[in-house]
Amino acid sequence: MPLLQAVRAELPEVLVYLHENSGAVLNDKLLNGHLDMAVLYERSPLAGITSQPLLKEDLFLVGTRDCPGQSVDLTAVAQMNLFLPRDYTAVRLRVDEAFSLRRLTAKVIGEIESIATLTAAIASGMGVTVLPESAARSLCGAANGWMARITTPSMSLSLSLNMSARGSLSPQAQAVKEILMSLVSSPALDNRELQLVS
């Protein structure tokens, strides 16, 4: 939301198109010229796409019942009913990798891609989910829930800005990119510190 608010304040004449989807779909839209830029988790080299590291976000467990405290161990998460995205998303890949490395099995009771449906499922108390900090804060507020940092092992995802390598940005898109970069470089975003990706 900070990006949309800043663009509306600084560039009221610019129409911003926000599209939520998987990284693969967003990269396809970049390659086909349907998007100017995409912010996504876990950049991977792709022909025709330039990727610029932005931030690193820790992963948090989010729920509404039985708060484990400010932090939680992955072995405790393995005992909980989990709602996770499909297995091709960056969050799911990171969660599956962490469970595999610890020789644990996740108790996935549902795969949900819609944030509205995920929020309703978490608010119902049927289970918990794992999300990057910014998404966790948003869902936590909407579901009136809690969030706990996953600490053993600590888990994080890199956030990157992807653009087509074929052309340059329009002046309007360049202005939006500059606003995004200024938000990323500010020491605190939404009253929390995020690590710059090295």
Side-chain angles (χ1 to χ4, degrees):
M1 203 51 66
L3 176 62
L4 186 56
Q5 291 168 331
V7 170
R8 292 298 310 139
E10 295 179 37
L11 305 167
E13 72 286 355
V14 172
L15 174 66
V16 177
Y17 171 62
L18 299 175
H19 182 79
E20 290 183 30
N21 217 315
S22 70
V25 171
L26 294 175
N27 280 332
D28 283 344
K29 288 187 174 287
L30 288 171
L31 289 170
N32 292 325
H34 297 136
L35 290 177
D36 293 310
M37 62 191 106
V39 177
L40 49 100
Y41 289 101
E42 294 302 296
R43 66 184 181 147
S44 54
L46 187 64
I49 298 287
T50 60
S51 185
Q52 181 175 354
L54 296 175
L55 305 168
K56 206 177 256 190
E57 285 193 275
D58 287 335
L59 295 184
F60 282 76
L61 185 70
V62 181
T64 54
R65 292 192 182 158
D66 304 324
C67 177
Q70 291 185 339
S71 63
V72 63
D73 188 285
L74 197 63
T75 56
V77 177
Q79 305 305 311
M80 301 176 189
N81 292 334
L82 284 169
F83 289 108
L84 293 175
R86 298 288 307 270
D87 60 4
Y88 55 79
T89 66
V91 170
R92 180 63 178 271
L93 292 170
R94 183 58 47 88
V95 169
D96 287 349
E97 174 188 50
F99 273 95
S100 177
L101 289 172
R102 296 275 177 170
R103 296 184 195 316
L104 297 169
T105 302
K107 232 166 78 172
V108 179
I109 62 168
E111 293 180 329
I112 303 175
E113 293 185 26
S114 159
I115 195 68
T117 304
L118 180 61
T119 301
I122 299 306
S124 76
M126 288 189 293
V128 296
T129 192
V130 176
L131 293 170
E133 183 179 1
S134 58
R137 285 186 184 279
S138 177
L139 190 142
C140 190
N144 196 24
W146 49 260
M147 56 189 275
R149 184 183 313 268
I150 301 172
T151 56
T152 309
S154 64
M155 296 172 14
S156 63
L157 285 175
S158 299
L159 192 65
S160 298
L161 174 65
N162 283 13
M163 296 177 289
S164 172
R166 293 186 199 151
S168 59
L169 295 174
S170 68
Q172 296 87 355
Q174 182 62 41
V176 171
K177 178 186 175 192
E178 289 169 9
I179 291 171
L180 171 65
M181 299 311 291
S182 72
L183 288 171
V184 168
S185 65
S186 68
L189 183 61
D190 280 343
N191 298 322
R192 71 191 188 286
E193 290 193 17
L194 297 175
Q195 306 164 349
L196 287 178
V197 176
S198 56

